Amino acid sequence: VPYFTITIMGKCQSADVSRREKSDNEENHRFVESMVRVGSRILMPESTSSPSKNNLYTTLKEHKASTYDYVHELVNDGIDVKVSGKVGLVNLGNTCFMNSSLQCLSNTEPLTDYFLGYDYRGEINHDNILGTKGALVRSYAELTKNLWLGRSKSYSPEDFKSSIGQFAPQFEGYEQQDAQELLAFLLDGIHEDLNRVITKPYVEEKDFDGTNDEGDAIISWSNYLLRNKSIVVDLFQGQLRNTMTCRNNNIIQADGTHGCGHKNVKFDPFMYLSLPIS
């Protein structure tokens, strides 16, 4: 049975993340701790046999999680993939729209790896007036950890719903709401709470003529990153190329087309795409 010795916020504790059994003297904590942290010292036994309390620290092999790429491997080693994540969410009134959205987002592996295995608290931007000073991201992280590290077959998302309703009154009640609107607000809120840019500089938007799309796209994205950097940008955001061409009816070209032919190209960031259903 693998054991981890985890250093979290100055406290060192051992956690049996495979069996998930509490020791007799372990308190019933309300909050579930993340298993590992990037940059933290990860101690694991060299053998797969169950170590006793007496020889636990003599059979440990030290590992160090120093990059995000290593987090997924550590998280997978620390959870039982046959059981973890298979936790239902209790329906609070008519909140199936919220539960289904949260389950989908929870199964976006890179994002879940981030909250289970990365020190997300160190990235909370407490000064961002567009965020919730970390309240929303902490409630989502707690929900994620209960879905993947919890011991129950179901979990009630009351705390999460209370948190998101505090900042978005449309989700405060227990009526059916739009799932896409919930996801859009949640991802935007997580982004602002975790935005690594503390002081956002003024950046003037640039228009292009379409003659150097690759270079122009890089310039636009670089300017966007001057104000927006987070795990949400890394995983969920991209660029759209928008073209606007003059179609002035008062100007007629030789081929019969209208407009002067001037073309304006912009590269805009996006986080989701709305597709028509026919």
Side-chain angles (χ1 to χ4, degrees):
V1 179
Y3 278 72
F4 292 81
T5 297
I6 312 164
T7 303
I8 301 177
M9 299 180 67
K11 295 182 180 180
C12 185
Q13 61 184 27
S14 296
D16 179 349
V17 295
S18 178
R19 290 184 179 177
R20 297 183 180 80
E21 294 176 354
K22 291 181 179 292
S23 61
D24 294 337
N25 59 355
E26 183 179 359
E27 295 181 3
N28 185 18
H29 293 293
R30 178 185 177 190
F31 297 105
V32 181
E33 295 286 5
S34 295
M35 292 180 303
V36 294
R37 300 294 176 85
V38 170
S40 64
R41 297 175 62 192
I42 311 302
L43 301 177
M44 298 178 62
E46 293 186 346
S47 64
T48 57
S49 59
S50 299
S52 65
K53 291 184 179 179
N54 295 331
N55 66 5
L56 174 62
Y57 293 101
T58 61
T59 61
L60 294 177
K61 179 180 180 181
E62 183 173 341
H63 297 268
K64 185 173 179 64
S66 58
T67 65
Y68 176 74
D69 293 337
Y70 195 39
V71 173
H72 180 69
E73 180 182 341
L74 288 171
V75 170
N76 273 0
D77 287 345
I79 65 175
D80 185 349
V81 293
K82 295 181 180 179
V83 178
S84 296
K86 297 179 180 178
V87 176
L89 289 172
V90 177
N91 197 13
L92 307 173
N94 197 9
T95 57
C96 53
F97 77 97
M98 180 183 75
N99 291 354
S100 58
S101 300
L102 292 174
Q103 290 285 14
C104 289
L105 199 59
S106 168
N107 281 276
T108 305
E109 287 189 2
L111 184 66
T112 295
D113 287 344
Y114 174 86
F115 285 110
L116 296 185
Y118 196 86
D119 186 12
Y120 72 90
R121 292 184 182 89
E123 292 198 318
I124 293 178
N125 188 335
H126 298 278
D127 301 320
N128 189 355
I129 61 174
L130 299 178
T132 66
K133 301 188 183 303
L136 184 60
V137 73
R138 281 193 295 266
S139 66
Y140 178 77
E142 184 61 26
L143 181 141
T144 300
K145 286 183 283 185
N146 275 281
L147 288 178
W148 289 88
L149 305 180
R151 300 170 177 85
S152 302
K153 293 183 179 179
S154 63
Y155 175 73
S156 178
E158 293 181 40
D159 290 341
F160 171 82
K161 187 183 180 307
S162 175
S163 179
I164 199 169
Q166 178 182 354
F167 301 104
Q170 65 268 33
F171 303 118
E172 190 173 11
Y174 296 92
E175 300 299 322
Q176 184 78 9
Q177 299 292 338
D178 187 83
Q180 191 270 338
E181 289 182 8
L182 174 77
L183 282 174
F185 177 83
L186 177 58
L187 286 174
D188 188 62
I190 292 175
H191 160 65
E192 295 296 352
D193 275 356
L194 297 175
N195 197 342
R196 303 175 189 118
V197 179
I198 304 300
T199 303
K200 295 184 178 182
Y202 171 76
V203 179
E204 185 176 352
E205 291 188 4
K206 292 188 176 182
D207 298 336
F208 307 98
D209 58 9
T211 58
N212 184 21
D213 282 349
E214 184 174 355
D216 297 340
I218 292 174
I219 292 174
S220 296
W221 188 249
S222 298
N223 287 340
Y224 180 70
L225 293 181
L226 292 175
R227 296 174 55 87
N228 300 276
K229 288 183 182 179
S230 73
I231 185 66
V232 173
V233 175
D234 297 341
L235 298 179
F236 294 99
Q237 296 191 4
Q239 273 185 328
L240 288 176
R241 181 184 186 273
N242 294 319
T243 303
M244 183 168 59
T245 304
C246 175
R247 291 287 185 262
N248 190 334
N249 289 330
N250 295 325
I251 302 176
I252 302 177
Q253 301 292 337
D255 58 0
T257 59
H258 293 268
C260 67
H262 175 75
K263 184 167 64 175
N264 184 13
V265 176
K266 292 183 64 176
F267 293 88
D268 297 319
F270 74 92
M271 186 161 59
Y272 51 86
L273 296 173
S274 298
L275 301 178
I277 299 176
S278 58

